[in-house]
PDB file of all heavy atoms in Angstrom:
ATOM      1  N   LYS J  12     -46.637  47.718 -38.425  1.00 97.00           N
ATOM      2  CA  LYS J  12     -46.199  47.934 -39.806  1.00 97.00           C
ATOM      3  C   LYS J  12     -45.655  49.358 -39.791  1.00 97.00           C
ATOM      4  O   LYS J  12     -46.348  50.273 -39.336  1.00 97.00           O
ATOM      5  CB  LYS J  12     -47.425  47.790 -40.724  1.00 97.00           C
ATOM      6  CG  LYS J  12     -47.185  48.156 -42.154  1.00 97.00           C
ATOM      7  CD  LYS J  12     -46.558  47.011 -42.896  1.00 97.00           C
ATOM      8  CE  LYS J  12     -45.956  47.478 -44.210  1.00 97.00           C
ATOM      9  NZ  LYS J  12     -44.817  46.674 -44.606  1.00 97.00           N
ATOM     10  N   SER J  14     -45.340  51.756 -41.725  1.00 95.00           N
ATOM     11  CA  SER J  14     -46.027  52.882 -42.377  1.00 95.00           C
ATOM     12  C   SER J  14     -47.432  53.124 -41.837  1.00 95.00           C
ATOM     13  O   SER J  14     -48.138  54.001 -42.334  1.00 95.00           O
ATOM     14  CB  SER J  14     -46.102  52.594 -43.880  1.00 95.00           C
ATOM     15  OG  SER J  14     -46.697  51.318 -44.087  1.00 95.00           O
ATOM     16  N   SER J  15     -47.841  52.368 -40.819  1.00 96.00           N
ATOM     17  CA  SER J  15     -49.227  52.484 -40.351  1.00 96.00           C
ATOM     18  C   SER J  15     -49.421  53.594 -39.328  1.00 96.00           C
ATOM     19  O   SER J  15     -48.753  53.641 -38.292  1.00 96.00           O
ATOM     20  CB  SER J  15     -49.660  51.155 -39.720  1.00 96.00           C
ATOM     21  OG  SER J  15     -50.823  51.341 -38.952  1.00 96.00           O
ATOM     22  N   THR J  16     -50.377  54.461 -39.618  1.00 97.00           N
ATOM     23  CA  THR J  16     -50.697  55.553 -38.698  1.00 97.00           C
ATOM     24  C   THR J  16     -51.253  55.004 -37.369  1.00 97.00           C
ATOM     25  O   THR J  16     -51.024  55.566 -36.301  1.00 97.00           O
ATOM     26  CB  THR J  16     -51.664  56.549 -39.377  1.00 97.00           C
ATOM     27  OG1 THR J  16     -52.174  57.432 -38.414  1.00 97.00           O
ATOM     28  CG2 THR J  16     -52.849  55.871 -40.016  1.00 97.00           C
ATOM     29  N   TYR J  17     -51.969  53.853 -37.456  1.00 98.00           N
ATOM     30  CA  TYR J  17     -52.538  53.253 -36.239  1.00 98.00           C
ATOM     31  C   TYR J  17     -51.423  52.721 -35.333  1.00 98.00           C
ATOM     32  O   TYR J  17     -51.492  52.822 -34.115  1.00 98.00           O
ATOM     33  CB  TYR J  17     -53.478  52.106 -36.608  1.00 98.00           C
ATOM     34  CG  TYR J  17     -54.583  52.515 -37.540  1.00 98.00           C
ATOM     35  CD1 TYR J  17     -54.487  52.302 -38.911  1.00 98.00           C
ATOM     36  CD2 TYR J  17     -55.730  53.139 -37.054  1.00 98.00           C
ATOM     37  CE1 TYR J  17     -55.496  52.683 -39.777  1.00 98.00           C
ATOM     38  CE2 TYR J  17     -56.744  53.522 -37.904  1.00 98.00           C
ATOM     39  CZ  TYR J  17     -56.627  53.287 -39.267  1.00 98.00           C
ATOM     40  OH  TYR J  17     -57.623  53.678 -40.119  1.00 98.00           O
ATOM     41  N   VAL J  18     -50.413  52.152 -35.974  1.00 98.00           N
ATOM     42  CA  VAL J  18     -49.287  51.606 -35.201  1.00 98.00           C
ATOM     43  C   VAL J  18     -48.488  52.749 -34.573  1.00 98.00           C
ATOM     44  O   VAL J  18     -48.044  52.657 -33.425  1.00 98.00           O
ATOM     45  CB  VAL J  18     -48.402  50.716 -36.114  1.00 98.00           C
ATOM     46  CG1 VAL J  18     -47.155  50.264 -35.373  1.00 98.00           C
ATOM     47  CG2 VAL J  18     -49.194  49.519 -36.625  1.00 98.00           C
ATOM     48  N   ARG J  20     -49.545  55.453 -33.415  1.00 98.00           N
ATOM     49  CA  ARG J  20     -50.215  55.905 -32.179  1.00 98.00           C
ATOM     50  C   ARG J  20     -49.673  55.133 -30.978  1.00 98.00           C
ATOM     51  O   ARG J  20     -49.370  55.704 -29.941  1.00 98.00           O
ATOM     52  CB  ARG J  20     -51.731  55.618 -32.273  1.00 98.00           C
ATOM     53  CG  ARG J  20     -52.440  56.399 -33.326  1.00 98.00           C
ATOM     54  CD  ARG J  20     -53.869  55.876 -33.451  1.00 98.00           C
ATOM     55  NE  ARG J  20     -54.570  56.567 -34.522  1.00 98.00           N
ATOM     56  CZ  ARG J  20     -55.791  56.263 -34.924  1.00 98.00           C
ATOM     57  NH1 ARG J  20     -56.457  55.294 -34.350  1.00 98.00           N
ATOM     58  NH2 ARG J  20     -56.361  56.952 -35.901  1.00 98.00           N
ATOM     59  N   VAL J  21     -49.583  53.821 -31.152  1.00 98.00           N
ATOM     60  CA  VAL J  21     -49.182  52.966 -30.035  1.00 98.00           C
ATOM     61  C   VAL J  21     -47.691  53.146 -29.736  1.00 98.00           C
ATOM     62  O   VAL J  21     -47.292  53.241 -28.568  1.00 98.00           O
ATOM     63  CB  VAL J  21     -49.535  51.489 -30.337  1.00 98.00           C
ATOM     64  CG1 VAL J  21     -49.080  50.590 -29.213  1.00 98.00           C
ATOM     65  CG2 VAL J  21     -51.033  51.348 -30.582  1.00 98.00           C
ATOM     66  N   LEU J  39     -48.070  42.556 -44.104  1.00 95.00           N
ATOM     67  CA  LEU J  39     -49.538  42.487 -44.163  1.00 95.00           C
ATOM     68  C   LEU J  39     -50.039  41.736 -45.398  1.00 95.00           C
ATOM     69  O   LEU J  39     -51.215  41.390 -45.486  1.00 95.00           O
ATOM     70  CB  LEU J  39     -50.144  43.894 -44.086  1.00 95.00           C
ATOM     71  CG  LEU J  39     -49.845  44.635 -42.776  1.00 95.00           C
ATOM     72  CD1 LEU J  39     -50.458  46.019 -42.778  1.00 95.00           C
ATOM     73  CD2 LEU J  39     -50.335  43.838 -41.561  1.00 95.00           C
ATOM     74  N   LYS J  42     -49.584  37.430 -43.735  1.00 98.00           N
ATOM     75  CA  LYS J  42     -49.732  37.614 -42.281  1.00 98.00           C
ATOM     76  C   LYS J  42     -49.177  36.424 -41.502  1.00 98.00           C
ATOM     77  O   LYS J  42     -49.400  35.275 -41.883  1.00 98.00           O
ATOM     78  CB  LYS J  42     -51.208  37.859 -41.958  1.00 98.00           C
ATOM     79  CG  LYS J  42     -51.681  39.188 -42.551  1.00 98.00           C
ATOM     80  CD  LYS J  42     -53.141  39.469 -42.301  1.00 98.00           C
ATOM     81  CE  LYS J  42     -53.501  40.770 -43.004  1.00 98.00           C
ATOM     82  NZ  LYS J  42     -54.924  41.061 -42.987  1.00 98.00           N
ATOM     83  N   LEU J  46     -49.823  36.976 -35.811  1.00 98.00           N
ATOM     84  CA  LEU J  46     -50.795  38.061 -36.069  1.00 98.00           C
ATOM     85  C   LEU J  46     -52.223  37.495 -36.084  1.00 98.00           C
ATOM     86  O   LEU J  46     -53.136  38.024 -35.446  1.00 98.00           O
ATOM     87  CB  LEU J  46     -50.460  38.739 -37.401  1.00 98.00           C
ATOM     88  CG  LEU J  46     -51.219  40.024 -37.768  1.00 98.00           C
ATOM     89  CD1 LEU J  46     -50.407  40.865 -38.742  1.00 98.00           C
ATOM     90  CD2 LEU J  46     -52.584  39.799 -38.340  1.00 98.00           C
ATOM     91  N   ASN J  50     -54.940  38.448 -33.256  1.00 98.00           N
ATOM     92  CA  ASN J  50     -56.075  39.291 -33.682  1.00 98.00           C
ATOM     93  C   ASN J  50     -56.925  38.534 -34.700  1.00 98.00           C
ATOM     94  O   ASN J  50     -56.991  38.902 -35.875  1.00 98.00           O
ATOM     95  CB  ASN J  50     -55.568  40.618 -34.268  1.00 98.00           C
ATOM     96  CG  ASN J  50     -56.693  41.631 -34.470  1.00 98.00           C
ATOM     97  OD1 ASN J  50     -57.868  41.323 -34.226  1.00 98.00           O
ATOM     98  ND2 ASN J  50     -56.349  42.825 -34.911  1.00 98.00           N
ATOM     99  N   HIS J  53     -59.979  40.828 -36.554  1.00 98.00           N
ATOM    100  CA  HIS J  53     -59.705  41.806 -37.629  1.00 98.00           C
ATOM    101  C   HIS J  53     -58.453  41.470 -38.438  1.00 98.00           C
ATOM    102  O   HIS J  53     -58.280  41.996 -39.536  1.00 98.00           O
ATOM    103  CB  HIS J  53     -59.548  43.209 -37.025  1.00 98.00           C
ATOM    104  CG  HIS J  53     -60.784  43.703 -36.336  1.00 98.00           C
ATOM    105  ND1 HIS J  53     -61.980  43.855 -36.995  1.00 98.00           N
ATOM    106  CD2 HIS J  53     -61.023  44.074 -35.053  1.00 98.00           C
ATOM    107  CE1 HIS J  53     -62.900  44.293 -36.152  1.00 98.00           C
ATOM    108  NE2 HIS J  53     -62.343  44.439 -34.956  1.00 98.00           N
ATOM    109  N   LYS J  54     -57.557  40.674 -37.836  1.00 98.00           N
ATOM    110  CA  LYS J  54     -56.280  40.319 -38.507  1.00 98.00           C
ATOM    111  C   LYS J  54     -55.511  41.570 -38.927  1.00 98.00           C
ATOM    112  O   LYS J  54     -55.027  41.695 -40.056  1.00 98.00           O
ATOM    113  CB  LYS J  54     -56.533  39.398 -39.703  1.00 98.00           C
ATOM    114  CG  LYS J  54     -57.259  38.121 -39.329  1.00 98.00           C
ATOM    115  CD  LYS J  54     -57.505  37.241 -40.540  1.00 98.00           C
ATOM    116  CE  LYS J  54     -58.312  35.999 -40.183  1.00 98.00           C
ATOM    117  NZ  LYS J  54     -59.695  36.260 -39.760  1.00 98.00           N
ATOM    118  N   LYS J  55     -55.489  42.565 -38.045  1.00 98.00           N
ATOM    119  CA  LYS J  55     -54.818  43.830 -38.342  1.00 98.00           C
ATOM    120  C   LYS J  55     -53.817  44.188 -37.260  1.00 98.00           C
ATOM    121  O   LYS J  55     -53.891  43.662 -36.146  1.00 98.00           O
ATOM    122  CB  LYS J  55     -55.863  44.953 -38.437  1.00 98.00           C
ATOM    123  CG  LYS J  55     -56.769  44.814 -39.652  1.00 98.00           C
ATOM    124  CD  LYS J  55     -57.717  45.977 -39.764  1.00 98.00           C
ATOM    125  CE  LYS J  55     -58.552  45.814 -41.027  1.00 98.00           C
ATOM    126  NZ  LYS J  55     -59.321  46.985 -41.338  1.00 98.00           N
ATOM    127  N   VAL J  56     -52.924  45.094 -37.599  1.00 98.00           N
ATOM    128  CA  VAL J  56     -52.023  45.674 -36.598  1.00 98.00           C
ATOM    129  C   VAL J  56     -52.501  47.099 -36.339  1.00 98.00           C
ATOM    130  O   VAL J  56     -53.175  47.680 -37.190  1.00 98.00           O
ATOM    131  CB  VAL J  56     -50.554  45.663 -37.109  1.00 98.00           C
ATOM    132  CG1 VAL J  56     -50.035  44.251 -37.139  1.00 98.00           C
ATOM    133  CG2 VAL J  56     -50.386  46.358 -38.452  1.00 98.00           C
ATOM    134  N   PRO J  57     -52.196  47.687 -35.184  1.00 98.00           N
ATOM    135  CA  PRO J  57     -51.304  47.225 -34.135  1.00 98.00           C
ATOM    136  C   PRO J  57     -51.914  46.143 -33.237  1.00 98.00           C
ATOM    137  O   PRO J  57     -53.119  46.113 -33.022  1.00 98.00           O
ATOM    138  CB  PRO J  57     -51.061  48.504 -33.318  1.00 98.00           C
ATOM    139  CG  PRO J  57     -52.326  49.290 -33.473  1.00 98.00           C
ATOM    140  CD  PRO J  57     -52.761  49.017 -34.882  1.00 98.00           C
ATOM    141  N   ILE J  58     -50.987  45.307 -32.718  1.00 98.00           N
ATOM    142  CA  ILE J  58     -51.348  44.369 -31.654  1.00 98.00           C
ATOM    143  C   ILE J  58     -50.312  44.586 -30.552  1.00 98.00           C
ATOM    144  O   ILE J  58     -49.102  44.555 -30.821  1.00 98.00           O
ATOM    145  CB  ILE J  58     -51.251  42.903 -32.135  1.00 98.00           C
ATOM    146  CG1 ILE J  58     -52.191  42.652 -33.321  1.00 98.00           C
ATOM    147  CG2 ILE J  58     -51.541  41.930 -30.978  1.00 98.00           C
ATOM    148  CD1 ILE J  58     -51.912  41.343 -34.050  1.00 98.00           C
ATOM    149  N   VAL J  67     -55.954  44.599 -28.901  1.00 98.00           N
ATOM    150  CA  VAL J  67     -56.009  45.108 -30.276  1.00 98.00           C
ATOM    151  C   VAL J  67     -56.917  46.331 -30.356  1.00 98.00           C
ATOM    152  O   VAL J  67     -57.636  46.631 -29.406  1.00 98.00           O
ATOM    153  CB  VAL J  67     -56.493  44.017 -31.271  1.00 98.00           C
ATOM    154  CG1 VAL J  67     -55.543  42.836 -31.280  1.00 98.00           C
ATOM    155  CG2 VAL J  67     -57.909  43.558 -30.964  1.00 98.00           C
ATOM    156  N   GLU J  68     -56.843  47.007 -31.511  1.00 98.00           N
ATOM    157  CA  GLU J  68     -57.545  48.259 -31.803  1.00 98.00           C
ATOM    158  C   GLU J  68     -56.801  49.409 -31.120  1.00 98.00           C
ATOM    159  O   GLU J  68     -56.758  49.509 -29.883  1.00 98.00           O
ATOM    160  CB  GLU J  68     -59.014  48.240 -31.358  1.00 98.00           C
ATOM    161  CG  GLU J  68     -59.903  47.395 -32.255  1.00 98.00           C
ATOM    162  CD  GLU J  68     -59.992  47.942 -33.681  1.00 98.00           C
ATOM    163  OE1 GLU J  68     -60.289  49.130 -33.864  1.00 98.00           O
ATOM    164  OE2 GLU J  68     -59.738  47.168 -34.629  1.00 98.00           O
ATOM    165  N   SER J  69     -56.245  50.294 -31.962  1.00 98.00           N
ATOM    166  CA  SER J  69     -55.313  51.298 -31.438  1.00 98.00           C
ATOM    167  C   SER J  69     -55.878  52.149 -30.288  1.00 98.00           C
ATOM    168  O   SER J  69     -55.187  52.373 -29.302  1.00 98.00           O
ATOM    169  CB  SER J  69     -54.811  52.194 -32.575  1.00 98.00           C
ATOM    170  OG  SER J  69     -55.888  52.775 -33.246  1.00 98.00           O
ATOM    171  N   LEU J  70     -57.142  52.595 -30.409  1.00 98.00           N
ATOM    172  CA  LEU J  70     -57.672  53.449 -29.327  1.00 98.00           C
ATOM    173  C   LEU J  70     -57.847  52.653 -28.027  1.00 98.00           C
ATOM    174  O   LEU J  70     -57.618  53.172 -26.935  1.00 98.00           O
ATOM    175  CB  LEU J  70     -58.997  54.094 -29.747  1.00 98.00           C
ATOM    176  CG  LEU J  70     -58.859  55.335 -30.643  1.00 98.00           C
ATOM    177  CD1 LEU J  70     -60.210  55.772 -31.187  1.00 98.00           C
ATOM    178  CD2 LEU J  70     -58.200  56.490 -29.903  1.00 98.00           C
ATOM    179  N   VAL J  71     -58.212  51.383 -28.177  1.00 98.00           N
ATOM    180  CA  VAL J  71     -58.342  50.517 -26.999  1.00 98.00           C
ATOM    181  C   VAL J  71     -56.956  50.325 -26.370  1.00 98.00           C
ATOM    182  O   VAL J  71     -56.792  50.381 -25.142  1.00 98.00           O
ATOM    183  CB  VAL J  71     -58.955  49.146 -27.405  1.00 98.00           C
ATOM    184  CG1 VAL J  71     -58.986  48.181 -26.223  1.00 98.00           C
ATOM    185  CG2 VAL J  71     -60.344  49.323 -27.991  1.00 98.00           C
ATOM    186  N   ILE J  72     -55.954  50.143 -27.231  1.00 98.00           N
ATOM    187  CA  ILE J  72     -54.585  49.933 -26.716  1.00 98.00           C
ATOM    188  C   ILE J  72     -54.103  51.180 -25.969  1.00 98.00           C
ATOM    189  O   ILE J  72     -53.496  51.077 -24.901  1.00 98.00           O
ATOM    190  CB  ILE J  72     -53.601  49.580 -27.862  1.00 98.00           C
ATOM    191  CG1 ILE J  72     -54.033  48.300 -28.586  1.00 98.00           C
ATOM    192  CG2 ILE J  72     -52.175  49.425 -27.326  1.00 98.00           C
ATOM    193  CD1 ILE J  72     -53.214  47.961 -29.827  1.00 98.00           C
ATOM    194  N   GLN J 105     -60.299  60.213 -35.404  1.00 98.00           N
ATOM    195  CA  GLN J 105     -60.374  58.918 -36.101  1.00 98.00           C
ATOM    196  C   GLN J 105     -61.341  59.015 -37.291  1.00 98.00           C
ATOM    197  O   GLN J 105     -61.050  58.549 -38.388  1.00 98.00           O
ATOM    198  CB  GLN J 105     -60.837  57.837 -35.114  1.00 98.00           C
ATOM    199  CG  GLN J 105     -61.121  56.497 -35.735  1.00 98.00           C
ATOM    200  CD  GLN J 105     -59.888  55.919 -36.404  1.00 98.00           C
ATOM    201  OE1 GLN J 105     -58.883  55.724 -35.755  1.00 98.00           O
ATOM    202  NE2 GLN J 105     -59.956  55.676 -37.709  1.00 98.00           N
ATOM    203  N   ASP J 109     -60.725  58.416 -41.275  1.00 97.00           N
ATOM    204  CA  ASP J 109     -61.527  57.506 -42.125  1.00 97.00           C
ATOM    205  C   ASP J 109     -62.030  58.230 -43.371  1.00 97.00           C
ATOM    206  O   ASP J 109     -62.053  57.672 -44.462  1.00 97.00           O
ATOM    207  CB  ASP J 109     -62.747  56.973 -41.343  1.00 97.00           C
ATOM    208  CG  ASP J 109     -62.345  56.077 -40.176  1.00 97.00           C
ATOM    209  OD1 ASP J 109     -61.198  55.591 -40.166  1.00 97.00           O
ATOM    210  OD2 ASP J 109     -63.181  55.881 -39.266  1.00 97.00           O
ATOM    211  N   PHE J 221     -49.825  52.820 -51.265  1.00 91.00           N
ATOM    212  CA  PHE J 221     -51.164  52.644 -50.690  1.00 91.00           C
ATOM    213  C   PHE J 221     -52.230  53.054 -51.716  1.00 91.00           C
ATOM    214  O   PHE J 221     -53.221  52.359 -51.927  1.00 91.00           O
ATOM    215  CB  PHE J 221     -51.292  53.496 -49.414  1.00 91.00           C
ATOM    216  CG  PHE J 221     -52.675  53.499 -48.827  1.00 91.00           C
ATOM    217  CD1 PHE J 221     -53.193  52.342 -48.247  1.00 91.00           C
ATOM    218  CD2 PHE J 221     -53.471  54.632 -48.865  1.00 91.00           C
ATOM    219  CE1 PHE J 221     -54.481  52.327 -47.721  1.00 91.00           C
ATOM    220  CE2 PHE J 221     -54.755  54.627 -48.345  1.00 91.00           C
ATOM    221  CZ  PHE J 221     -55.256  53.474 -47.764  1.00 91.00           C
TER     222      PHE J 221
HETATM  223  N1  GSH D   1     -59.300  50.106 -36.286  1.00 82.53           N
HETATM  224  C1  GSH D   1     -57.965  49.558 -36.327  1.00 82.53           C
HETATM  225  C2  GSH D   1     -57.385  49.762 -37.712  1.00 82.53           C
HETATM  226  C3  GSH D   1     -56.036  49.080 -37.881  1.00 82.53           C
HETATM  227  C4  GSH D   1     -55.660  48.927 -39.348  1.00 82.53           C
HETATM  228  O1  GSH D   1     -56.424  49.264 -40.274  1.00 82.53           O
HETATM  229  N2  GSH D   1     -54.452  48.393 -39.570  1.00 82.53           N
HETATM  230  C5  GSH D   1     -53.982  48.142 -40.915  1.00 82.53           C
HETATM  231  C6  GSH D   1     -52.570  48.702 -41.060  1.00 82.53           C
HETATM  232  S1  GSH D   1     -52.642  50.417 -41.351  1.00 82.53           S
HETATM  233  C7  GSH D   1     -53.897  46.648 -41.153  1.00 82.53           C
HETATM  234  O2  GSH D   1     -53.411  45.915 -40.325  1.00 82.53           O
HETATM  235  N3  GSH D   1     -54.368  46.200 -42.311  1.00 82.53           N
HETATM  236  C8  GSH D   1     -54.300  44.836 -42.700  1.00 82.53           C
HETATM  237  C9  GSH D   1     -55.521  44.405 -43.457  1.00 82.53           C
HETATM  238  O3  GSH D   1     -56.454  45.228 -43.613  1.00 82.53           O
HETATM  239  O4  GSH D   1     -55.552  43.286 -43.920  1.00 82.53           O
HETATM  240  C10 GSH D   1     -57.121  50.244 -35.248  1.00 82.53           C
HETATM  241  O5  GSH D   1     -57.443  51.377 -34.855  1.00 82.53           O
HETATM  242  O6  GSH D   1     -56.175  49.631 -34.744  1.00 82.53           O
END
Side-chain angles (χ1 to χ4, degrees):
K12 172 82 196 150
S14 54
S15 164
T16 168
Y17 304 98
V18 174
R20 294 172 183 175
V21 178
L39 297 179
K42 294 178 183 172
L46 189 156
N50 191 357
H53 298 300
K54 302 179 184 66
K55 292 184 178 190
V56 289
I58 300 166
V67 299
E68 286 296 308
S69 56
L70 280 171
V71 175
I72 300 173
Q105 173 61 59
D109 294 342
F221 174 69

